[in-house]
Amino acid sequence: TMKSRAQPAKLGAANQFARLYYTEVDPEELAARSPKDLAGAAAAHFEFGRGFSSGKPKIRAYNPVPALHGWHSSHSVIEIVNDDMPFLVDSVTMEVNRQGLTLHLMIHPVLRSVRNRDGELLAVAAPGESSEGQLESFMHVEVDRQSDPAKLADLEAGIARVLTDVRAAVTDWRPMQARMAEVLEHLDEARGGVPKAELEEGRAFLAWLKSDHFTFLGGRDYALETLDGEDVLRIVPGSGLGI
């Protein structure tokens, strides 16, 4: 039956996931933990990430209970499954700190995941082991234990917000670079009203920004208009990029 064929595939993916989960973690970070809890944490994250659709992260913050989750921790745990992209670790770390919590451990395997049309995880591999599937980020973050469910909900909401900003900035990075290139091309039109030295300094500065010296998070166009005798900036509808 389909169910009997799917079970070995799931076990194979789960075993492979567990093999790769702690590859990049310093053994000293894990020395004080029992093998049962280490295996249980990996298995819990695998189950959480077994269903995932590209485009929006899955996030949960919880206090592991052996009877419910198969492992125990003295910390509260945040599990994230997301499309791999830049800035994830720094952004999650900053949000945890913004909420006044100490980050005790981060495990962050980036895996190549093969999923079916329903988003079910069929196989995983290290990025260098396979070219199949998509690169996905599995983040396990341990913070000060929180007994208040509302605080755990705040953690989930805060991380969801920052990851939405990261996705917007990363997705629109190239369009924002292209917008900067357009500005550089049109600088010559300003020659009539701006001293040459000032214009060239501005051109050099924009070119320097464009040469990977600046992380573009968002941008939009404004129209300079006059209202009641004063200059005002009006947002150009539809021009927004990134955040």
Side-chain angles (χ1 to χ4, degrees):
T1 66
M2 184 173 289
K3 184 175 181 181
S4 64
R5 288 198 303 270
Q7 193 65 15
K10 176 192 169 185
L11 288 173
N15 291 336
Q16 179 76 330
F17 184 88
R19 181 181 74 82
L20 297 170
Y21 197 65
Y22 297 107
T23 301
E24 302 295 329
V25 184
D26 185 341
E28 292 185 4
E29 293 274 6
L30 308 175
R33 297 160 189 254
S34 73
K36 181 179 179 181
D37 285 335
L38 291 174
H45 207 159
F46 173 80
E47 283 299 319
F48 182 62
R50 200 150 63 89
F52 169 70
S53 296
S54 176
K56 183 180 180 181
K58 285 184 74 173
I59 306 163
R60 71 168 173 175
Y62 69 106
N63 295 321
V65 176
L68 292 176
H69 308 106
W71 71 292
H72 170 267
S73 175
S74 59
H75 301 138
S76 289
V77 176
I78 307 158
E79 290 173 352
I80 305 168
V81 185
N82 198 12
D83 303 296
D84 185 46
M85 61 188 72
F87 313 126
L88 296 179
V89 170
D90 288 343
S91 300
V92 169
T93 299
M94 290 172 67
E95 177 60 18
V96 166
N97 292 338
R98 189 191 70 80
Q99 295 204 22
L101 301 178
T102 299
L103 195 157
H104 296 279
L105 176 67
M106 179 176 288
I107 301 169
H108 184 218
V110 175
L111 305 176
R112 195 166 282 282
S113 301
V114 178
R115 298 181 182 271
N116 63 18
R117 290 183 177 181
D118 296 326
E120 183 179 6
L121 188 58
L122 304 179
V124 294
E129 292 178 344
S130 172
S131 60
E132 291 186 66
Q134 302 296 320
L135 288 176
E136 292 179 354
S137 159
F138 293 82
M139 298 181 72
H140 168 111
V141 184
E142 297 187 14
V143 300
D144 304 319
R145 191 174 184 89
Q146 305 299 306
S147 58
D148 185 356
K151 182 60 177 178
L152 295 175
D154 286 345
L155 269 173
E156 291 181 0
I159 290 173
R161 188 188 68 254
V162 299
L163 292 183
T164 297
D165 287 347
V166 168
R167 184 179 295 272
V170 169
T171 300
D172 281 353
W173 172 72
R174 290 192 184 281
M176 286 187 279
Q177 288 275 68
R179 187 77 61 84
M180 179 65 81
E182 290 176 18
V183 170
L184 278 165
E185 288 178 5
H186 292 139
L187 275 183
D188 285 340
E189 299 172 8
R191 283 197 179 278
V194 180
K196 182 178 179 181
E198 186 176 332
L199 186 69
E200 293 307 315
E201 183 178 6
R203 185 196 307 278
F205 177 61
L206 294 182
W208 181 82
L209 292 181
K210 187 172 174 292
S211 299
D212 294 330
H213 288 110
F214 186 75
T215 300
F216 292 90
L217 298 180
R220 61 187 177 193
D221 293 342
Y222 292 83
L224 180 62
E225 298 182 347
T226 302
L227 181 66
D228 298 331
E230 293 188 7
D231 291 337
V232 295
L233 291 174
R234 178 180 60 80
I235 295 171
V236 176
S239 67
L241 292 171
I243 61 173

